[in-house]
Structure formats: C-alpha cells, structure tokens
Amino acid sequence: WPIDTIRTIDTTTNEILKSIGNPNKQQEFNSRGLVLGYVQSGKTANFTGLINKAYDVGYKLVIVLAGMHNDLRSQTQLRLEKEVVGVIDKVTGAASGVASISNKGALVQTWTTVENDISIKVLEQRRNLDVPNLMVVKKNKDVLETLNEVIEACCNLSADYRNVPVLVIDDEADQASVNTADSNEDPKTINGLIRRLLNQFNRKSYVG
C-alpha cells in the first residue's frame, strides 16, 4: 500500500484508540462512539488496524457485527483471518497474512469461521481469555440471540467473561443497528439485542 495510506490508517486508528476504554485499568468502562467514512474509503482497513492495536494494548475479546448477509460476514471473516489472525494452510503449512511475519502460528482464537457464524456449539470448547479472541457475526435476529445466549452461558460459567475487556465493532452501523422505534424503552429488535450484548460486560467499548 502507498506509504501515505499506511500513515493515514496509523494516525486515525490511534485517534480512535485514544477515545475508547483503557483495558489495563481494572475499573469498569463503557465507551461508545462513531467513525464516519465515505463509501470505499477504507473502513474495513481502519477497523482491522483498530482491532490489531486493541489487542496490542490489552483487549481480549473483539466482536465484529458484520452486516446482515452471509456473504458479507464471510468476506469480513476471511479478511480478518488474514490480517488479524494469520492463515496457515493445513495441507502445505504455508503461512499467509500476518502469520507470515510470526513464527508462533495463529495468535488469535476465533469463535467463528468463514463457513460458520456463531453457534451454541462453541460452548463445548471454552476459549482462553488470556489470549486475544475474535468473533465475526451477522446482524441478524436469530444470530444475535444465539450470541447473547453464548455470552450469558460463558458469564454464568466464569465471572472472568463479564470482566474481560471487550471491543464491539459495528460495521455499517447505519444499517439495522439504529433504534427507529418511538420509544427508547422498547427498542427495535437488532438495537435491543446489541444493547443486551453490551450490558453483559463490565468493561466494554462500542465503535460504530
């Protein structure tokens, strides 16, 4: 990429990082904000950079709400696996993406895959919260209900989940996420499910 593009991403992601909660402080935080970008202006590159920096400063769980359709979610998962997790070919062992600059293999645990959205089955393999964790989910009623059930079950199993520093990135936050109901006490379905998700954590940042 051109050096000017890299510098711009570096600068803007630093500004966003300064505006969200500090995961190294034990007190509770609840930071919420909006990043505005033009169509095809590099929004995905921006939040990819933000995710990597968030992991570097101590965030342990990142949840990306990636649009309303399977193809966009899978596309986002694929890109983040390359640029955040690192891909190692199971047959050849060849490394690509960030895995090519690390000899430690995958540095981030994923709860979702290119093929599979969040599922209640992930409870069978409890994730280690001492290392970075990532999930990429659709903004879909059934999926977000499953996500909430998974998080609730994890929180019931261990208080560590409720206190883990979490970053929720809402891609295309103007789609479905906004509460268009007349009452703030009785929000629209997707908005209500996102609120329910955020309310499960004591230390959380939401970036739309």
Side-chain angles (χ1 to χ4, degrees):
W1 288 3
I3 190 64
D4 287 347
T5 301
I6 296 169
R7 284 176 179 152
T8 298
I9 293 172
D10 190 30
T11 301
T12 54
T13 49
N14 279 346
E15 289 302 311
I16 301 165
L17 197 66
K18 290 176 190 174
S19 302
I20 63 177
N22 184 345
N24 297 303
K25 293 184 177 179
Q26 292 306 308
Q27 62 258 42
E28 297 180 5
F29 59 82
N30 182 6
S31 302
R32 307 187 188 195
L34 178 71
V35 178
L36 186 64
Y38 294 104
V39 173
Q40 297 300 314
S41 63
K43 291 191 295 297
T44 306
N46 184 283
F47 74 67
T48 300
L50 178 63
I51 290 170
N52 282 313
K53 289 184 178 183
Y55 285 143
D56 284 346
V57 299
Y59 276 86
K60 295 303 182 187
L61 176 59
V62 174
I63 302 171
V64 180
L65 308 179
M68 299 180 67
H69 304 288
N70 286 323
D71 54 350
L72 181 57
R73 192 211 69 82
S74 296
Q75 180 182 324
T76 303
Q77 175 91 31
L78 187 64
R79 180 159 177 181
L80 293 181
E81 285 191 4
K82 191 170 185 178
E83 298 178 8
V84 175
V85 181
V87 177
I88 300 176
D89 190 283
K90 293 177 181 176
V91 178
T92 65
S96 60
V98 294
S100 62
I101 56 172
S102 168
N103 59 8
K104 299 178 182 178
L107 302 177
V108 179
Q109 296 180 108
T110 56
W111 298 47
T112 54
T113 66
V114 174
E115 296 81 16
N116 299 310
D117 209 323
I118 193 69
S119 163
I120 209 76
K121 291 180 180 178
V122 298
L123 291 173
E124 297 169 5
Q125 29 183 262
R126 299 260 312 273
R127 297 308 198 274
N128 176 12
L129 291 179
D130 292 332
V131 300
N133 286 260
L134 172 70
M135 58 179 83
V136 183
V137 302
K138 284 193 303 294
K139 280 190 285 189
N140 165 284
K141 175 181 177 291
D142 293 340
V143 171
L144 290 179
E145 284 180 343
T146 299
L147 173 60
N148 274 296
E149 288 172 11
V150 167
I151 297 299
E152 284 164 0
C154 288
C155 289
N156 289 335
L157 288 169
S158 170
D160 291 342
Y161 278 90
R162 198 170 297 283
N163 291 310
V164 68
V166 59
L167 170 62
V168 176
I169 293 180
D170 190 349
D171 190 16
E172 301 189 12
D174 55 342
Q175 185 181 41
S177 301
V178 179
N179 180 29
T180 56
D182 294 332
S183 168
N184 204 37
E185 301 302 319
D186 186 23
K188 291 290 187 179
T189 302
I190 300 298
N191 183 273
L193 288 167
I194 294 173
R195 293 186 194 195
R196 178 179 158 196
L197 173 66
L198 291 169
N199 286 337
Q200 297 197 61
F201 299 103
N202 295 325
R203 303 161 70 211
K204 68 260 189 171
S205 296
Y206 168 94
V207 178

